Amino acid sequence: MEMASDAALFEERVAETLKLCQNRREPPLVWAAEVLKCLDTAGLGLGLPSVELGQVLVSHLCFAYNSSCMWKFLDHALSSRLLSPLHVLSLLTSRVIPHRWSQPEAYRLYLELLSRYAFSFDLVESDASKERIIKSIDATLQLSQTYQVNVQELGHTMVLFFFSIVVGLLDSTLDDWGLPVTFPDKASGVARSGDYLNTDMESKGNKNFRQSEHRDQMRRTNSFLAMEVLGTITDNRKAKVLLRLVRLNMPENFDSLLRRIQFLEAHKLASPVLKSANQLLVRFSANIRGVMDFEYQLNKRQLIGMLLHIGSNKPVSGCNSEAALSASWVSFDIYMENVMDVKQLPVKSAIVVLSVERDPLEGPIPHLESRLCILLSIVPLAIAPLLEDEVDSCNSSSQGGREFRGVGIGYRHEMDRKHHASRKHGLISSLQVLGHFSALLCPPSSVVDAANLAAYKAVGFISNAKNGKDGLSESSHVNTFAKSGIVVEGAPQVPLLPTAVPCLKHFQGGNMRHLIVEACIARNLIDTSAYFWPSYVFASVISMSDSSQIQGSPWSTFMEGAPLTGSLVDALIAIPASSLAEIEKLYHLALNGSEEEKLAAAKILCGASLRRGWNIQEHIVHFMVKLLSPPIPPNFTGTRSHLIDYLPMLSAILFGVSSIDTVHILSLHGVVPEVAAALMPLCEVFGSLTPTSNHKSTMSEELSIYMVFSSAFLFLLRLWKFYKPPLEQCISRRGGAIGSELTLEYLLILHNNKIVSTSDKPVYIDFYPKLRAWYCQNRSCIASTLSGLCNGNPVHQVANKILNMIYRKMTKTGASSGSASAASSSTVTGEDTYQRPVIPAWEVLEAIPLVLEAILTACAHGILSSRDLTTGLRDLVDFLPASLVAIISYFSAEVSRGIWKLAPMNGKDWPSPAANLQSVESEIKEILASVGVDAPRCSPGDSTAMLPLPMAALVSLTITFKLDKSLEYIHAVAGTSLENCASCCPWPSMPVIGSLWAQKVRRWHDFIVSSCSRSVFRQDKKAVAQLLRSCFASFLGSSDTSKPPFARQIGVVGLLGDINWAQQATHRSMAPGFLYLRSCRTIHDVQYVNHVIVGLVSEFAQKMASRWTSKDFPRLKSGESSLSLTTAKVRDIAGLGASLLCVTGGLQLVQELYQETLPTWLLSAREDEHGRVNSVSHITDGYAMAYLLVLSGSFVWGLGAKPSLWAFPVRARIIGAHFDFLAGVMEGNVSVGCDTDTWKAYVCCLVGLLVSLAPDWVQDVTAETLRKLAKGLRGWRECELALSLLERGGPGTLGSAAELVNVID
């Protein structure tokens, strides 16, 4: 009550003072002095600008004392900062606009004050006054209620105030012009409705108010004046900043403003008043749309500002050489080469770009199917979302426009539609230009027929069109030749079948472009108008289209209900399916058909449909994974697992997908976690069964429980690196596996994350006790030697049975069993079957480490010969193929321990590599020398090669395996693990092993030598550093004319080479980047790679800057164009570094880069070794580091706001920690050791790149940290850069960003 009485007393004193000054006709200055006395008397003199005074003045102006003297005094009080313009304008807005019709004079004066003081946002020094102003404005304009935010900062209030003014004035003007459209959103807290019904009564009682011609004219002109004021205040640069803050942080509110603009434009022609205000509307609309394209003007007078202004997308004149143009694609080329390495199975679906297909690089395995999968399935699937997102955006915008009486498409919709059109046009243009590169389009021999059929489809389509047919009849749909993997849903189909190939033996018009175009048509990326592109097909062959020669399709026969007989099954296996319906029918047959139908359907699905059904490949993969987890039949009863009833089907699936190429295809489609989860119950069930000797199917195909278990178990273990030594299996302090190797737990985490939104239940290893027990035992075996088991233990009893089996086989076969190539068949006689133990597979695997320890110890003490050891190991693998896993794990662990004696590879006890060892070593040395790496010391020529005993046993075992495609599921495990195990041995173990395998398979000699050269980099840090330096030098070019022409290539060609692996090996030289990509995942200390790459990026960036400023190159200093060339080169250097870093260690190394490597680099002092580093070099150094950091992060997290579930918290934590470090330095809490120019360039360029390339990352940083960084940037006079950072920080920094509006020009 006391406060209310004080306020009333103050208001009364002010009113009396104002009335007295008005009667005396005092000038405004005297008014101000008298009012200040009132403030002092009330104890409010120190709290200027005064909130209380503003409320009193506005309350009297509206409208009891509405006189010109009062308005003049109000103007003076605002200009002298006696009152807050922000506060007074908000009070006037809430009172004048609703009464603009009855008080046109007040409305006119209000508009003049608004145009004059709209941007008088001087900061209030008094915290008490600031708080009262914020609360008053919030309550007056209802900001918190309207925008659903908590307004606590003056800057935040400024943004919402200005936006409310703009929308409120616009809405009130629409009302005045007779366009009272009711929008569904409440974009402003301003009450816009005019007092039209009360215009017959003046506020002073004059009932002739409506007849006042003067006031009517004023009302009409006020609406135009309001529109003019809107154009004036929105044309201001500060206005664009404030509206941009709304657009970025409150996009739905800004969209409401855009909808009002589009409403005006839609009614402009129909409304006479809008026609007369056309120029005003055009100006205002242009100002609002200008906010969409508004960019801050960085300080271009400084080199840092020029670097940021140039940008990553600006064309660089004079940089049109082939090497320079290809350099920007280096990251994609590196990713393509990396994703095609079958030794690493990616757990995420491959998102790749179109790349030139190379000849097979892996030597013995072509991997053509997985390469075609990339080109014809993965790439179209990756392109489709890019186009669909734009279509969805356009549709949503269009639907939003329809709510407003046919407004039509809006500005944003127009931009989205143009963007979509440009993307699709770019795709079409690329496909058309692709036809100019005929030398690159020659199809591999295995898909020549498919390419010819794709071309002939276009021929038939054109021929039918010329004959007046609308495509083809509906009945011809099932006869489409797309059984080769080509189908167009919803488009007319050409009746051409794979069985019609003999009819087209003279047609040779198909190439890879036709297959690519068909893949794009099938995904609805383009339409069949592509058939009419110039030179797509030649006119001379169009007349060849004759559907009378078309024969029936086996798939149409199958869909018509024909039984799956032998000949039909063979045909369906050889010809890929073309439609989802065909795959679905096979899937249901595999689950619900007879035993014969289940087996046949599984074989068909694993045939050409899986490998070459590119247009529906993702669906085939999906059904394949589902078949690995068949459902429980409706009428199933009993205690045994229902999986046993599916044994024939599961066996066919497991062996059908076990090839290296097929597993790679599954990984490219990103189903590795799902496959792992599906294989675990199979391993648990079939590994727990006791096998029988007569378990046969009705199709007379013997199905061994051991074989089914082994195929599932080996398949599961191929998905993670079970053979890694303990150091590489340990978990780092941040929770990630060192070297980014997969673990079984990690695969299950990925699987469970994918099914969060589904009804599927999560999978954990604890659900499978047998598998979990072996998993724990395997890790214990790797980590330490065997201990704790007594002879009476059941495991020992099983081990004794296995040993008896092995020794019985040795005794029976005698000397013949010692032949390393004798035991090659898994088919055994009845006597052998009787003598072999009949125990579950899990019990066998549990006992194998004891068996291996026993026979290896016996061999080491001369009790067991080396040949008998090899024969025993091979017999063990024949008995249970899954035992290969235990053998590899045990031998790999024993090799890493280094406790076994060396075995002489002399040809007597063990195989001898002497025949070609020196040749292999010499060739390895040549390859390493070609990439600038010093080769390690080779073995003396007259000494016997030696290997650790476990290594000698393992390589001797692998040599006994036949090179049979049916054993590819064994080779896939043995080959990779053998190479890994050999790399752990001291040099020259790998050349010895390579020599032995080169003797076994002579046609693989070049490939084996090239593979052996990779082992050097596993533990030799010096070699790794030399190879990385060669990568940078070859990419940027070398001035050393003594090097061969191949080594003097630059760009992507110099880095990765332009010839295939075999030719590189034949010439005893290899592109350094290609060698690094095939070696990087075996590097032991990947953290070391981070430091090397950062050092090389810094070194080569400084060299480029030194060259730009060098007196020897005056042309390079000719302005921004030359700086653009230098900047582009620096970006290429950083891009190469980021690409190599990510393929080496992925997220682990990126995390290390953010949290340790770059902070350490910034904190460390570096001396100028050459004495030529200038300030420009330092600045370029900082720019390169910033670009390296942003690009590395974008590779692992992406640039969007919504990364994967696991990546989002990791990204926020890592980026937040790095920016906390930067803020600490900016505050002076930490001192950097690098050059000051480098530090400033790094921070400014990092902020600039982040807000322009990855703005969504900014919200991962706390608001407090962003304010600290912005304060430091302001200290460097980088005010607009600071503003661009704060505006991306979300609502938490919106106020701080708005408070910077007064410091920009």
Side-chain angles (χ1 to χ4, degrees), residues 18 107 155 212 221 301 310 401 652 670-671 696 936 1099 1119 1123 1131 1251:
L18 293 176
Y107 187 46
S212 174
T221 58
R301 290 170 294 180
I310 289 171
V671 297
K696 296 182 179 180
E1099 176 185 337
L1123 180 60
R1131 287 197 302 270
V1251 298

Side-chain angles (χ1 to χ4, degrees), residues 576-610:
S578 64
S579 70
L580 188 56
E582 295 164 350
I583 298 301
E584 288 177 341
K585 183 174 181 179
L586 279 176
Y587 171 74
H588 291 297
L589 276 178
L591 291 180
N592 307 314
S594 63
E595 189 172 356
E596 292 82 0
E597 288 175 333
K598 290 180 180 179
L599 183 61
K603 289 183 177 180
I604 294 169
L605 280 173
C606 296
S609 296
L610 176 60

Side-chain angles (χ1 to χ4, degrees), residues 310-323:
I310 289 171
S312 58
N313 296 321
K314 185 175 180 179
V316 181
S317 59
C319 189
N320 297 322
S321 67
E322 182 179 352

Side-chain angles (χ1 to χ4, degrees), residues 850-1037:
L850 298 177
V851 174
L852 298 176
E853 184 181 41
I855 61 177
L856 201 62
T857 302
C859 183
H861 290 82
I863 301 174
L864 183 69
S865 69
S866 58
R867 295 190 178 186
D868 285 341
L869 173 61
T870 304
T871 303
L873 292 174
R874 180 54 197 264
D875 193 43
L876 185 57
V877 174
D878 290 341
F879 168 59
L880 179 64
S883 63
L884 179 63
V885 171
I887 295 173
I888 291 171
S889 291
Y890 179 80
F891 283 169
S892 299
E894 296 303 311
V895 166
S896 66
R897 293 186 183 106
I899 60 177
W900 295 91
K901 69 175 184 178
L902 296 178
M905 312 300 290
N906 52 17
K908 298 178 181 179
D909 300 310
W910 299 96
S912 173
N916 60 348
L917 178 58
Q918 290 188 358
S919 173
V920 169
E921 289 179 339
S922 175
E923 293 171 18
I924 292 174
K925 185 176 181 179
E926 290 182 33
I927 291 176
L928 295 177
S930 70
V931 294
V933 175
D934 297 332
R937 182 181 58 84
C938 297
S939 58
D942 56 349
S943 63
T944 302
M946 309 287 283
L947 288 177
L949 181 59
M951 188 72 253
L954 183 59
V955 69
S956 298
L957 171 64
T958 59
I959 291 176
T960 66
F961 295 143
K962 281 188 175 181
L963 300 179
D964 193 311
K965 189 170 181 62
S966 63
L967 297 178
E968 195 168 338
Y969 73 106
I970 291 180
H971 294 311
V973 176
T976 305
S977 55
L978 175 66
E979 182 178 350
N980 178 79
C981 186
S983 299
C984 296
C985 300
W987 190 268
S989 298
M990 196 64 190
V992 172
I993 296 170
S995 299
L996 293 173
W997 265 95
Q999 292 176 30
K1000 176 180 175 65
V1001 192
R1002 296 185 182 277
R1003 67 180 184 274
W1004 290 0
H1005 177 88
D1006 292 337
F1007 168 76
I1008 291 173
V1009 170
S1010 301
S1011 299
C1012 290
S1013 64
R1014 303 196 298 258
S1015 64
V1016 176
F1017 306 101
R1018 183 177 181 86
Q1019 298 179 358
D1020 191 340
K1021 292 184 178 181
K1022 180 181 177 182
V1024 172
Q1026 290 174 337
L1027 181 59
L1028 282 169
R1029 177 172 292 278
S1030 296
C1031 289
F1032 279 85
S1034 62
F1035 180 67
L1036 298 171

Side-chain angles (χ1 to χ4, degrees), residues 100-120:
R100 64 188 180 279
W101 200 258
S102 61
Q103 301 290 336
E105 298 88 355
Y107 187 46
R108 169 70 61 88
L109 294 171
Y110 160 75
L111 292 176
E112 291 181 1
L113 288 179
L114 179 63
S115 63
R116 185 177 304 175
Y117 295 105
F119 299 104
S120 297

Side-chain angles (χ1 to χ4, degrees), residues 144-426:
S144 297
Q145 180 181 353
T146 301
Y147 300 105
Q148 299 298 309
V149 294
N150 186 16
V151 182
Q152 293 183 336
E153 294 181 279
L154 186 60
H156 198 177
T157 308
M158 292 160 50
V159 175
L160 299 182
F161 160 78
F162 184 77
F163 185 73
S164 297
I165 291 293
V166 172
V167 177
L169 273 185
L170 179 60
D171 287 350
S172 62
T173 304
L174 288 175
D175 285 346
D176 293 344
W177 284 343
L179 299 171
V181 177
T182 302
F183 291 92
D185 56 350
K186 188 178 181 183
S188 169
V190 178
R192 67 176 184 268
S193 299
D195 50 349
Y196 309 111
L197 299 179
N198 298 323
T199 55
D200 58 341
M201 183 179 298
E202 294 185 28
S203 60
K204 297 183 179 180
N206 184 2
K207 297 184 179 180
N208 297 322
F209 170 72
R210 295 188 64 181
Q211 280 115 33
S212 174
E213 223 178 277
H214 173 71
R215 303 193 79 184
D216 284 343
Q217 179 65 24
M218 183 175 290
R219 293 188 192 99
R220 287 192 294 270
T221 58
N222 277 352
S223 60
F224 288 90
L225 178 61
M227 208 68 220
E228 184 179 351
V229 170
L230 279 176
T232 301
I233 63 176
T234 56
D235 195 31
N236 190 290
R237 183 172 173 81
K238 295 180 180 180
K240 289 183 170 57
V241 172
L242 295 175
L243 291 175
R244 178 179 167 92
L245 288 172
V246 176
R247 174 176 175 261
L248 294 176
N249 296 279
M250 304 162 59
E252 66 284 351
N253 296 101
F254 189 80
D255 287 344
S256 70
L257 178 58
L258 290 180
R259 283 194 289 269
R260 285 159 169 79
I261 299 298
Q262 85 185 61
F263 176 84
L264 283 172
E265 294 179 345
H267 291 78
K268 184 166 55 177
L269 298 179
S271 174
V273 66
L274 292 183
K275 287 183 180 179
S276 61
N278 182 57
Q279 291 184 351
L280 299 176
L281 294 176
V282 169
R283 181 189 181 190
F284 175 65
S285 299
N287 291 342
I288 300 302
R289 290 178 175 177
V291 177
M292 310 278 289
D293 305 318
F294 178 74
E295 293 183 1
Y296 293 110
Q297 301 297 321
L298 303 180
N299 190 354
K300 299 179 186 177
R301 290 170 294 180
Q302 298 182 9
L303 181 58
I304 296 175
M306 294 178 66
L307 290 173
L308 292 175
H309 170 68
I310 289 171
S312 58
N313 296 321
K314 185 175 180 179
V316 181
S317 59
C319 189
N320 297 322
S321 67
E322 182 179 352
L325 292 175
S326 66
S328 60
W329 289 90
V330 64
S331 298
F332 293 100
D333 280 282
I334 288 177
Y335 180 77
M336 282 294 296
E337 293 293 355
N338 182 60
V339 81
M340 288 313 304
D341 186 358
V342 297
K343 292 183 175 62
Q344 175 177 335
L345 299 178
V347 295
K348 291 186 284 187
S349 179
I351 304 301
V352 294
V353 295
L354 184 63
S355 179
V356 177
E357 182 194 0
R358 295 185 172 211
D359 287 339
L361 305 170
E362 284 73 25
I365 307 298
H367 305 304
L368 179 61
E369 303 292 355
S370 54
R371 295 176 184 279
L372 291 173
C373 164
I374 286 277
L375 182 65
L376 302 177
S377 181
I378 299 298
V379 170
L381 286 172
I383 295 174
L386 300 178
L387 302 182
E388 290 173 359
D389 288 346
E390 298 299 326
V391 172
D392 293 342
S393 177
C394 292
N395 290 339
S396 62
S397 299
S398 179
Q399 292 172 1
R402 295 192 191 100
E403 297 178 3
F404 308 113
R405 304 181 183 179
V407 169
I409 61 173
Y411 178 67
R412 180 170 293 185
H413 180 205
E414 268 182 62
M415 293 183 65
D416 290 339
R417 184 177 63 176
K418 291 177 181 178
H419 195 190
H420 170 64
S422 64
R423 282 186 179 181
K424 193 162 188 176
H425 182 267

